[in-house]
Amino acid sequence: MPKENCLIVRAAGKRLDLLRGEAARIAQGANVRWWTDRAEIGTKFCFEDSKSKELFAITCDSLGITSQDG
């Protein structure tokens, strides 16, 4: 999978659980797969398409959670 479809977020506990739920909702709506992976500075959320990644970035921003390209 291309790296440009991944975002690294810094969240833990309930906030991370919330993000997992949002990632699943976004991926299901777009009919694409998603997954998480460990990163040095957080958790990497990856999607099969760039549109889902962009929607997830907007969601992170709206929740006040920092994200960066991964």
Side-chain angles (χ1 to χ4, degrees), residues 9-65:
V9 299
R10 294 182 185 185
K14 291 182 180 184
R15 295 185 97 197
L16 187 57
D17 291 341
L18 175 64
L19 288 178
R20 286 186 183 118
E22 290 299 312
R25 181 187 59 76
I26 290 168
Q28 183 178 21
N31 199 28
V32 298
R33 290 179 353 121
W34 72 281
W35 62 96
T36 61
D37 221 346
R38 287 186 179 184
E40 282 187 34
I41 56 170
T43 303
K44 185 183 287 190
F45 283 79
C46 299
F47 299 87
E48 285 184 329
D49 71 339
S50 59
K51 188 171 185 172
S52 295
K53 175 194 161 195
E54 291 170 17
L55 287 172
F56 186 70
I58 292 168
T59 300
C60 289
D61 288 344
S62 71
L63 295 171
I65 299 172

